[in-house]
Short mmCIF file of all heavy atoms in Angstrom, two decimals:
data_model
loop_
_atom_site.label_atom_id
_atom_site.label_comp_id
_atom_site.label_asym_id
_atom_site.label_seq_id
_atom_site.Cartn_x
_atom_site.Cartn_y
_atom_site.Cartn_z
N ARG A 269 5.85 8.50 7.88
CA ARG A 269 5.95 9.72 7.17
C ARG A 269 5.04 9.61 5.95
O ARG A 269 4.99 8.63 5.24
CB ARG A 269 7.41 9.98 6.75
CG ARG A 269 7.62 11.32 5.99
CD ARG A 269 9.06 11.55 5.82
NE ARG A 269 9.80 11.74 7.11
CZ ARG A 269 10.78 12.57 7.28
NH1 ARG A 269 11.17 13.44 6.38
NH2 ARG A 269 11.41 12.68 8.48
N VAL A 270 4.39 10.75 5.67
CA VAL A 270 3.56 10.87 4.42
C VAL A 270 4.14 12.04 3.63
O VAL A 270 4.27 13.13 4.16
CB VAL A 270 2.09 11.12 4.74
CG1 VAL A 270 1.29 11.37 3.52
CG2 VAL A 270 1.51 9.94 5.55
N ALA A 271 4.47 11.78 2.41
CA ALA A 271 4.92 12.82 1.52
C ALA A 271 3.84 13.70 1.09
O ALA A 271 2.66 13.36 1.22
CB ALA A 271 5.65 12.23 0.33
N ALA A 272 4.15 14.87 0.55
CA ALA A 272 3.08 15.84 0.11
C ALA A 272 2.13 15.26 -0.93
O ALA A 272 0.98 15.70 -1.01
CB ALA A 272 3.78 17.13 -0.38
N ASN A 273 2.59 14.32 -1.73
CA ASN A 273 1.77 13.71 -2.78
C ASN A 273 0.99 12.49 -2.24
O ASN A 273 0.21 11.87 -3.00
CB ASN A 273 2.55 13.31 -3.99
CG ASN A 273 3.49 12.10 -3.71
OD1 ASN A 273 3.76 11.82 -2.55
ND2 ASN A 273 3.86 11.37 -4.72
N GLY A 274 1.12 12.15 -0.97
CA GLY A 274 0.36 11.06 -0.37
C GLY A 274 1.05 9.76 -0.29
O GLY A 274 0.50 8.74 0.15
N ASP A 275 2.32 9.63 -0.86
CA ASP A 275 3.10 8.47 -0.68
C ASP A 275 3.38 8.27 0.84
O ASP A 275 3.67 9.28 1.53
CB ASP A 275 4.45 8.55 -1.39
CG ASP A 275 4.27 8.55 -2.93
OD1 ASP A 275 3.20 8.21 -3.44
OD2 ASP A 275 5.27 8.82 -3.64
N ALA A 276 3.39 7.03 1.31
CA ALA A 276 3.53 6.79 2.75
C ALA A 276 4.64 5.84 3.05
O ALA A 276 4.70 4.82 2.46
CB ALA A 276 2.24 6.32 3.35
N ALA A 277 5.47 6.23 4.03
CA ALA A 277 6.53 5.31 4.54
C ALA A 277 5.97 4.43 5.62
O ALA A 277 5.51 4.93 6.62
CB ALA A 277 7.74 6.08 5.05
N ASN A 278 6.00 3.10 5.37
CA ASN A 278 5.50 2.10 6.33
C ASN A 278 6.54 1.09 6.56
O ASN A 278 7.59 1.13 6.00
CB ASN A 278 4.22 1.48 5.73
CG ASN A 278 3.20 2.45 5.16
OD1 ASN A 278 3.28 2.71 3.98
ND2 ASN A 278 2.36 2.95 6.03
N LYS A 279 6.21 0.21 7.49
CA LYS A 279 7.10 -0.92 7.72
C LYS A 279 7.42 -1.71 6.46
O LYS A 279 6.57 -1.75 5.48
CB LYS A 279 6.52 -1.88 8.80
CG LYS A 279 6.32 -1.31 10.12
CD LYS A 279 7.69 -0.89 10.77
CE LYS A 279 7.53 -0.28 12.15
NZ LYS A 279 6.90 1.08 12.07
N ILE A 280 8.57 -2.33 6.38
CA ILE A 280 9.00 -3.03 5.15
C ILE A 280 7.92 -4.12 4.83
O ILE A 280 7.52 -4.86 5.72
CB ILE A 280 10.38 -3.63 5.26
CG1 ILE A 280 10.92 -4.11 3.90
CG2 ILE A 280 10.46 -4.78 6.29
CD1 ILE A 280 11.27 -3.00 3.05
N GLY A 281 7.52 -4.19 3.54
CA GLY A 281 6.52 -5.17 3.15
C GLY A 281 5.18 -4.57 2.99
O GLY A 281 4.29 -5.22 2.38
N THR A 282 4.95 -3.37 3.52
CA THR A 282 3.61 -2.78 3.37
C THR A 282 3.14 -2.55 1.96
O THR A 282 1.97 -2.74 1.62
CB THR A 282 3.53 -1.46 4.19
OG1 THR A 282 3.92 -1.70 5.56
CG2 THR A 282 2.11 -0.94 4.28
N SER A 283 4.11 -2.12 1.12
CA SER A 283 3.72 -1.85 -0.28
C SER A 283 3.33 -3.13 -0.93
O SER A 283 2.43 -3.03 -1.79
CB SER A 283 4.92 -1.13 -0.95
OG SER A 283 6.05 -1.94 -0.97
N SER A 284 3.86 -4.26 -0.60
CA SER A 284 3.44 -5.47 -1.19
C SER A 284 2.04 -5.86 -0.79
O SER A 284 1.23 -6.34 -1.64
CB SER A 284 4.40 -6.64 -0.77
OG SER A 284 5.76 -6.39 -1.16
N VAL A 285 1.73 -5.60 0.44
CA VAL A 285 0.38 -5.87 0.95
C VAL A 285 -0.57 -4.92 0.19
O VAL A 285 -1.75 -5.32 -0.17
CB VAL A 285 0.34 -5.61 2.45
CG1 VAL A 285 -1.18 -5.68 2.93
CG2 VAL A 285 1.19 -6.61 3.18
N ALA A 286 -0.16 -3.65 -0.04
CA ALA A 286 -1.05 -2.71 -0.75
C ALA A 286 -1.33 -3.12 -2.19
O ALA A 286 -2.41 -3.01 -2.70
CB ALA A 286 -0.38 -1.34 -0.76
N VAL A 287 -0.31 -3.76 -2.81
CA VAL A 287 -0.45 -4.25 -4.19
C VAL A 287 -1.51 -5.36 -4.18
O VAL A 287 -2.39 -5.43 -5.04
CB VAL A 287 0.88 -4.66 -4.83
CG1 VAL A 287 0.60 -5.44 -6.13
CG2 VAL A 287 1.76 -3.57 -5.05
N LEU A 288 -1.40 -6.27 -3.22
CA LEU A 288 -2.36 -7.39 -3.12
C LEU A 288 -3.77 -6.85 -2.82
O LEU A 288 -4.73 -7.33 -3.44
CB LEU A 288 -1.90 -8.30 -1.98
CG LEU A 288 -0.68 -9.13 -2.25
CD1 LEU A 288 -0.14 -9.79 -0.95
CD2 LEU A 288 -1.00 -10.26 -3.30
N ALA A 289 -3.86 -5.86 -1.92
CA ALA A 289 -5.20 -5.33 -1.60
C ALA A 289 -5.82 -4.65 -2.82
O ALA A 289 -7.04 -4.81 -3.08
CB ALA A 289 -5.04 -4.28 -0.50
N LYS A 290 -5.01 -4.00 -3.65
CA LYS A 290 -5.47 -3.37 -4.93
C LYS A 290 -6.04 -4.47 -5.81
O LYS A 290 -7.10 -4.34 -6.43
CB LYS A 290 -4.37 -2.56 -5.51
CG LYS A 290 -4.76 -1.88 -6.81
CD LYS A 290 -5.31 -0.46 -6.49
CE LYS A 290 -5.42 0.37 -7.72
NZ LYS A 290 -5.94 1.73 -7.33
N HIS A 291 -5.29 -5.54 -5.95
CA HIS A 291 -5.65 -6.63 -6.87
C HIS A 291 -6.96 -7.24 -6.38
O HIS A 291 -7.87 -7.56 -7.28
CB HIS A 291 -4.57 -7.72 -6.83
CG HIS A 291 -4.94 -8.92 -7.67
ND1 HIS A 291 -4.90 -8.95 -9.03
CD2 HIS A 291 -5.29 -10.17 -7.27
CE1 HIS A 291 -5.25 -10.08 -9.49
NE2 HIS A 291 -5.54 -10.91 -8.45
N TYR A 292 -7.17 -7.48 -5.12
CA TYR A 292 -8.37 -8.09 -4.61
C TYR A 292 -9.51 -7.11 -4.24
O TYR A 292 -10.53 -7.46 -3.66
CB TYR A 292 -8.07 -9.01 -3.36
CG TYR A 292 -7.31 -10.22 -3.76
CD1 TYR A 292 -5.94 -10.36 -3.51
CD2 TYR A 292 -7.95 -11.30 -4.43
CE1 TYR A 292 -5.26 -11.51 -3.89
CE2 TYR A 292 -7.29 -12.41 -4.81
CZ TYR A 292 -5.88 -12.55 -4.51
OH TYR A 292 -5.25 -13.69 -4.89
N ARG A 293 -9.27 -5.88 -4.60
CA ARG A 293 -10.23 -4.74 -4.34
C ARG A 293 -10.65 -4.61 -2.88
O ARG A 293 -11.88 -4.54 -2.54
CB ARG A 293 -11.46 -4.98 -5.25
CG ARG A 293 -11.13 -4.96 -6.73
CD ARG A 293 -12.36 -5.19 -7.59
NE ARG A 293 -12.02 -5.16 -9.05
CZ ARG A 293 -12.79 -5.40 -10.04
NH1 ARG A 293 -14.16 -5.56 -9.80
NH2 ARG A 293 -12.44 -5.35 -11.29
N ILE A 294 -9.64 -4.66 -2.08
CA ILE A 294 -9.82 -4.50 -0.64
C ILE A 294 -9.35 -3.07 -0.21
O ILE A 294 -8.26 -2.72 -0.59
CB ILE A 294 -9.05 -5.59 0.17
CG1 ILE A 294 -9.63 -6.97 -0.24
CG2 ILE A 294 -9.11 -5.35 1.62
CD1 ILE A 294 -8.74 -8.11 0.30
N PRO A 295 -10.18 -2.41 0.51
CA PRO A 295 -9.68 -1.01 0.99
C PRO A 295 -8.36 -1.11 1.76
O PRO A 295 -8.23 -1.94 2.66
CB PRO A 295 -10.84 -0.52 1.87
CG PRO A 295 -12.00 -1.33 1.51
CD PRO A 295 -11.50 -2.63 1.06
#
């Protein structure tokens, strides 16, 4: 599910991976 503002519901732990990707500048 994607909310109107672009927040996305993913499998548990995905947001942690996103934080790491942001830190290491990975798309």
Side-chain angles (χ1 to χ4, degrees):
R269 182 171 300 216
V270 175
N273 71 337
D275 292 346
N278 311 94
K279 295 295 180 289
I280 192 70
T282 305
S283 58
S284 301
V285 173
V287 170
L288 288 167
K290 184 87 167 182
H291 176 75
Y292 288 106
R293 299 181 180 180
I294 296 170

